[in-house]
Amino acid sequence: MEVLGSRDILNLDRALGLYRVIDEDGNPVAGEPSLPDKLLLDMYTYMIRARILDGWLLKLQRMGRVALHAPNKGQEASAVGATLALKREDWLFPSYRELGALLVRGMTEEEILDRALTTIDDPLKGSDFAIYGHRKYNIVPAPVPVANQIPHAVGAALAAKIMGDKIVTMTFFGDGSTSRGDFHAGLNFAGVFKAPVVFVNQNNQWAISVPLKRQTAAPTIAVKGIAYGVPGIRVDGNDVIAVYTVAREAVERARSGEGPTLIEAVTYRLGPHTTADDPTRYRGEEEVKEWERREPLRRMRRYLISRGLLTEEEDKALWSEWEKRIEETVVKVLEKPPLPPEVILEDVYEEPPWNLKEQMKELRESIRLLKELGIELE
Amino acid sequence: MPVMNMVQALNQALREEMARDPRVVVLGEDVGRRGGVFLVTEGLIDEFGEMRVIDTPLSEMGIIGVAIGMALYGLRPVAEIQFIDFVYEAFDQIVSNMAKIRYRTGGMYSVPMVLRSPCCGGIRGGMHHSQSPEAYFMHTAGLITVMPSTPYDAKGLLKASIRSNDPVIFLEPKSIYRTIKEEVPDRDYTVPLGKARLVREGNDVTIVTWGAMVYQSLEAAKLVEEKHGWSVEVIDLRTLFPYDKDAIIESLEKTERLVIVHEAPKTAGPGAEIAAYIAENHIELLRGPIARVTGFDTPFPLVHEKLYMPNIARIYMALKKVMQY
Ligand SMILES: Cc1ncc(C[n+]2csc(CCOP(=O)(O)OP(=O)(O)O)c2C)c(N)n1
Ligand SMILES: [Mg+2]
């Protein structure tokens, strides 16, 4: 008897297995993937840009110019591969560890740095750290409480369905985030209403110091989809081609009205959780070394070279081009003035109620008084 | 006597209570191997093992709900919420259960647990790592709400909270976790819940405050003393509910002027309750209006946080208003 009438939804093999296109050394696993050359090179370039930008955000945090950064190193393939499957008009609900996804959607390094350094051009006007997004790219900035964005992606997908738009939404979240109520409610609603949403779980093995086995007794995260009637697919998250391939399938499924998919991208956070973390307190060097070997950029480079799409020289040139361009952007952004104090009282409501008008006066008077007293607060 | 900061004092309180009472267990995100993100639980897992120091899945609802069950059965759980800003998923458990089980069961069951969590601003934490949500808890009948401002009080109040038969929300102002150091006895002692501390004696005006704002208030007190010769009394409430109304009244009998300073936003904030209580019952003690210096009525901002939080200038403005009325 066919339970729920759908074999696909209950396809345990895909939820328990690990889909791969290229192996850890960049060799094709089963035949050559048939993707356009340009797309393959784009994948690699986006990952390079994300890697370089990530390094700068770390450096800028150490310089005291960025409040906090959540390093992406090692996870570039999941963010880049999954979002390349979206169309421009689709919506993204990211978490805090997907620089590559922002770049794929068209956000520039300058916009990201303006945000991180809370300059006068910060599109989110100094609201919070480590979150990015912009309406013009259909990227909704994440809430810092993890997993909160999951039901939002479901709701937006459902709204598109109700309004008759052929739009797909995609959301990112970590392995730890699957323990929260938002994940369960989100998947349940998505399953019940066949919402056109793609859930991308970046299973990087750790939630700060808590290992995956402390988040779930289930054999994989992908398998959790099945109980909600949502197909689960487990993929090598460091294989950008594999991530793209399963994401494209999920996006197509969603767009054609077949409902949601849960993708578990198996990856690893090579750096600390955030710039405030010390991973030596909870994990060994061995494990990190093991995953260094599997990291996505080295792998894709090897593949591209072996396929004749890239030479060693071209690779070097690509890196130095982006290193130079991003450094120039950093220098430019560092020169920009900060946001004025008044922004802290703006955007609470469409129009400020009386209390905020009173408090604006108090703020301005206190700034005057501080000057008069010669007191510097920071 | 050893000199400690608040993190060390809290760590010692947990260690002593766990050694004293086998029913005390610690649970939360990253409290085990990592020792908590601020290291308040550092080393406890080595001393007491994984059964009593529990790294949980990432679910605030789960942490608090499970701690309530543990307390019902007879343990004395100390549940950590990594930042109080993440407590909201657990609100149903806190408001519907932690606070109400004694009442709902006619006193048959109680929930002797502590929810401890870093709170408040001053570390460039942005809107989800800086909040001061004590008013929600003070507003919820059945909960005791505590916030220490010194290492000595932190140790004594945490021990008293663990021994309390009612649930306690224990808020730790993280900006002063390591900046304030003082002598803390290496032995067992408690600081009673519900009792304020007189931090500075004065005759002209009373500041009622708590947490890190004690230090801002002291600076402002010094400034107005130098500039105007006004003598400011500063009271650290320590327990926010049930708050020590007698300490406030006693001070007002002398000073006849009241300024309340807190980081939490103003509207329906904790200061509103204190001001209303005094106005309702002891208006005759006052010479003029009560002033509040608080966080603004906005989410906590990442930029210009020192302007958002009560600072020396804003407290000065309030003292002036009250003194020159
Ligand atoms: C609701 C909530 N609780 C706690 C935190 C503190 N915190 C920030 S990230 C994190 C771990 C998240 O792990 P995971 O979901 O695996 O994502 P990763 O950081 O590994 O990408 C925790 C506990 C938070 N941001 N939100
Ligand atoms: Mg993780």
Side-chain angles (χ1 to χ4, degrees), chain A residues 107 117 122 147 155 157 168 170 180 184-186 194 199 210-211 215 221 224 249 255 257 282 299 320 331 347 378:
Chain A
M107 249 184 118
L117 279 89
D122 175 3
V168 173
M170 179 178 279
R180 294 202 91 218
H184 297 280
K194 276 202 167 192
F199 302 100
V210 181
Q215 298 299 343
I221 285 171
K224 289 179 178 234
E249 179 195 327
R255 209 181 306 281
Y282 54 82
R299 209 158 148 165
S320 38
V331 171
D347 299 311
E378 304 307 319

Side-chain angles (χ1 to χ4, degrees), chain A residues 19-330:
Chain A
Y19 179 72
R20 252 188 185 176
V21 176
I22 53 174
D23 72 10
E24 286 159 12
D25 295 317
N27 305 311
V29 177
E32 288 289 343
S34 58
L35 295 176
D37 295 351
K38 178 171 180 311
L39 178 59
L40 294 170
L41 285 166
D42 280 353
M43 288 175 175
Y44 184 53
T45 310
Y46 280 124
M47 293 200 293
I48 289 175
R49 288 170 62 187
R51 177 73 56 95
I52 296 170
L53 185 59
D54 188 53
W56 269 112
L57 287 167
L58 249 154
K59 220 177 296 173
L60 290 163
Q61 195 279 336
R62 303 247 150 85
M63 286 162 61
R65 297 300 299 267
V66 167
L68 179 127
H69 176 58
N72 287 220
K73 192 175 172 209
Q75 298 184 217
E76 295 88 350
S78 338
V80 167
T83 42
L84 274 170
L86 293 175
K87 286 192 183 163
R88 215 194 130 71
E89 60 272 26
D90 291 336
W91 281 47
L92 181 66
F93 291 80
S95 174
Y96 46 76
R97 217 186 282 286
E98 296 96 21
L99 291 173
L102 308 173
L103 296 171
V104 167
R105 299 293 296 161
M107 249 184 118
T108 63
E109 277 87 354
E110 182 165 346
E111 286 169 324
I112 293 169
L113 286 160
D114 276 329
R115 179 74 268 281
L117 279 89
T118 58
T119 72
I120 189 87
D121 294 329
D122 175 3
L124 306 186
K125 297 197 229 163
S127 71
D128 203 358
F129 58 49
I131 63 158
Y132 302 92
H134 202 297
R135 210 183 165 93
K136 71 179 173 198
Y137 305 116
N138 291 339
I139 305 173
V140 182
V144 166
V146 300
N148 279 178
Q149 72 279 12
I150 298 173
H152 305 168
V154 176
L158 203 51
K161 187 171 164 171
I162 291 167
M163 292 165 77
D165 297 336
K166 286 262 170 243
I167 293 289
V168 173
T169 70
M170 179 178 279
T171 181
F172 284 90
F173 50 90
D175 43 305
S177 308
T178 64
S179 296
R180 294 202 91 218
D182 310 71
F183 170 79
H184 297 280
L187 263 89
N188 192 37
F189 273 59
V192 167
F193 296 111
K194 276 202 167 192
V197 51
V198 179
F199 302 100
V200 185
N201 173 247
Q202 289 218 55
N203 174 5
N204 66 3
Q205 315 303 322
W206 292 94
I208 311 185
S209 75
V210 181
L212 179 63
K213 63 174 187 294
R214 257 306 150 96
Q215 298 299 343
T216 181
T220 68
I221 285 171
V223 82
K224 289 179 178 234
I226 290 174
Y228 294 108
V230 176
I233 306 177
R234 193 157 170 271
V235 60
D236 184 338
N238 288 2
D239 174 350
V240 66
I241 306 173
V243 175
Y244 171 77
T245 309
V246 300
R248 194 180 54 181
E249 179 195 327
V251 167
E252 275 165 16
R253 261 180 50 87
R255 209 181 306 281
S256 63
E258 287 173 67
T261 307
L262 169 62
I263 296 171
E264 173 186 353
V266 180
T267 179
Y268 193 80
R269 153 166 73 72
L270 289 173
H273 169 69
T274 65
T275 42
D277 182 34
D278 171 13
T280 61
R281 282 184 176 270
Y282 54 82
R283 72 183 188 189
E285 268 301 297
E286 279 308 295
E287 179 183 308
V288 182
K289 281 227 176 72
E290 180 71 22
W291 281 91
E292 291 270 9
R293 217 173 52 76
R294 302 180 192 152
E295 69 93 8
L297 273 73
R298 170 182 168 274
R299 209 158 148 165
M300 189 60 176
R301 175 173 57 235
R302 285 184 164 218
Y303 173 70
L304 292 173
I305 289 174
S306 75
R307 226 183 112 169
L309 293 177
L310 188 75
T311 64
E312 297 277 357
E313 293 70 47
E314 284 165 346
D315 182 46
K316 278 210 191 81
L318 195 58
W319 277 90
S320 38
E321 180 201 337
W322 282 104
E323 264 156 12
K324 185 160 161 283
R325 282 170 73 164
I326 295 172
E327 182 169 356
E328 281 166 10
T329 310
V330 170

Side-chain angles (χ1 to χ4, degrees), chain A residues 64 126 128-129 144 176 179-181 208-209 214-215 277 281 339 341 344 355-356 359 362 366 369 373, chain B residues 30 34 39 42 55 57-60 82 89 124-129 227 296-297 302-304 306 313-314:
Chain A
D128 203 358
F129 58 49
V144 166
S179 296
R180 294 202 91 218
I208 311 185
S209 75
R214 257 306 150 96
Q215 298 299 343
D277 182 34
R281 282 184 176 270
L339 288 156
I344 69 178
N355 63 329
L356 292 177
Q359 290 173 22
E362 185 182 347
S366 73
L369 183 58
L373 295 169
Chain B
D30 305 285
R34 181 74 177 71
L39 304 182
E42 189 176 26
D55 270 326
L58 205 174
S59 167
E60 287 71 16
Q82 197 163 85
E89 192 197 38
R124 274 184 99 191
M127 73 174 73
H128 297 292
H129 290 89
K227 274 203 165 304
F296 292 129
D297 286 332
L302 176 61
V303 293
H304 302 297
K306 297 270 157 66
R314 286 174 57 203

